[in-house]
Amino acid sequence: MKRLAIKWDQVVVDPDGRVGGHDAGATLVRRLLRLGAHNGFAPTLVGPATRRCDGFDQVPLEFVEAESTVVVNLDVLDSMEVWRTLRGCCPQPALMNFQWAPTARYADKVPQLTEALSFALFPTFANSERTASEVREVIHRWTAPAVAAEAQVAWVNLGFRVGHVQERNEPDVPVVLYPAIYLSERKQPKMFLDVVERVHKKVPVRVEMRLHESHLVSELAMSVSAKDWVWVGPLTATRGSYWEALASTTAFLATATEESYGLAYVEALAAGVIGILPDAGWAHALVPEGYPFFWHSRDEAEALLLRAVREPDTCRAELDALVNGQFTAWIADKHDDHSFEEVLTRQLVEWFG
């Protein structure tokens, strides 16, 4: 397999030469860099300057060794410009899109068509079957049939490192998690807060919201943090502390209208957190058929969350019975990240040799 170069313009490399942040993009970049290291080369991160980092090299795009490198681009709208830059020193640049979020709903035609052409012109790897379907839909909607027919799209669920899961440590007061790091409209944080407010009036609960620093200072975050039963703070400092916190969490309430995959939900479910999920396609893709904790309205979300915090052991037993074993083991088996590495490696070899 060729050397990998990862491009995501929002990546932050700290003074110690490590990729910083615990959001989905930063986590994906680290995983792709680890995958790149497995082929015997030092992986490359595209960045503003040449720099030797902790286990990888950072170089500007124009210095990438295009003849022997596949550029994995997480910034899909930039792919045609990336191709032009690489084409300056290589007749056949190897470039792959990595679509790791829901396909955008652009109001303007230029980015809308640019995205569609990017998907159609360059092999596109998606982070879930749902995202791959969206990519194909965008291609067929906005490109010519002859172009769409040649499009290459593949996918695998991102998954997580099963070994990170820690033994449960049940809290004295039930803990309800806001299962997102952003307060964006798509996540519907106000609905989440409305439901947990209703639940708190009936059962003492503690709500935890770990937010990206850009959303910690928002008006909504500041307002919510004034409640003595809601903790609003930054993301956990390490992966270990992140999994430790999940092991002490009782339930989460998902209110997002759309997700491309839902890694945060999967990790929480694997840690034994009872997930109250919307009755949506993206949520059904995460859990086994017959999952009993889907809501269709605010009242249903409230009732299910109340049951989860009042009778967590009974709820977990119901989930175990659903899979005739351990529900957490079912989640771990379905979403183990070994599949991600194996499928992506195989696809890279098929597309680029």
Side-chain angles (χ1 to χ4, degrees), residues 115-170:
E115 180 188 61
L117 284 172
S118 180
F119 289 150
L121 292 174
F122 306 107
T124 299
F125 196 88
N127 69 341
S128 70
E129 183 176 15
R130 177 179 174 80
T131 304
S133 296
E134 290 181 348
V135 168
R136 295 188 186 98
E137 181 182 341
V138 167
I139 292 171
H140 286 279
R141 182 189 305 153
W142 297 109
T143 67
V147 175
E150 297 295 322
Q152 296 174 296
V153 181
W155 67 274
V156 71
N157 287 333
L158 284 180
F160 67 98
R161 286 192 171 186
V162 174
H164 284 321
V165 179
Q166 297 188 16
E167 186 176 349
R168 286 205 56 79
N169 180 25
E170 298 298 340

Side-chain angles (χ1 to χ4, degrees), residues 87-203:
R87 186 71 163 75
C89 60
C90 175
Q92 293 184 316
L95 173 63
M96 183 190 89
N97 292 321
F98 198 114
Q99 184 62 19
W100 55 284
T103 55
R105 303 293 193 266
Y106 296 107
D108 298 327
K109 281 190 175 181
V110 171
Q112 192 174 64
L113 296 177
T114 300
E115 180 188 61
L117 284 172
S118 180
F119 289 150
L121 292 174
F122 306 107
T124 299
F125 196 88
N127 69 341
S128 70
E129 183 176 15
R130 177 179 174 80
T131 304
S133 296
E134 290 181 348
V135 168
R136 295 188 186 98
E137 181 182 341
V138 167
I139 292 171
H140 286 279
R141 182 189 305 153
W142 297 109
T143 67
V147 175
E150 297 295 322
Q152 296 174 296
V153 181
W155 67 274
V156 71
N157 287 333
L158 284 180
F160 67 98
R161 286 192 171 186
V162 174
H164 284 321
V165 179
Q166 297 188 16
E167 186 176 349
R168 286 205 56 79
N169 180 25
E170 298 298 340
D172 294 331
V173 176
V175 174
V176 178
L177 176 68
Y178 174 68
I181 65 173
Y182 298 111
L183 297 172
S184 52
E185 184 177 348
R186 178 170 62 87
K187 302 292 186 179
Q188 297 197 99
K190 292 182 179 178
M191 177 184 175
F192 170 88
L193 292 167
D194 175 57
V195 172
V196 295
E197 181 89 45
R198 296 188 201 178
V199 169
H200 178 259
K201 290 178 180 179
K202 299 175 181 178
V203 177

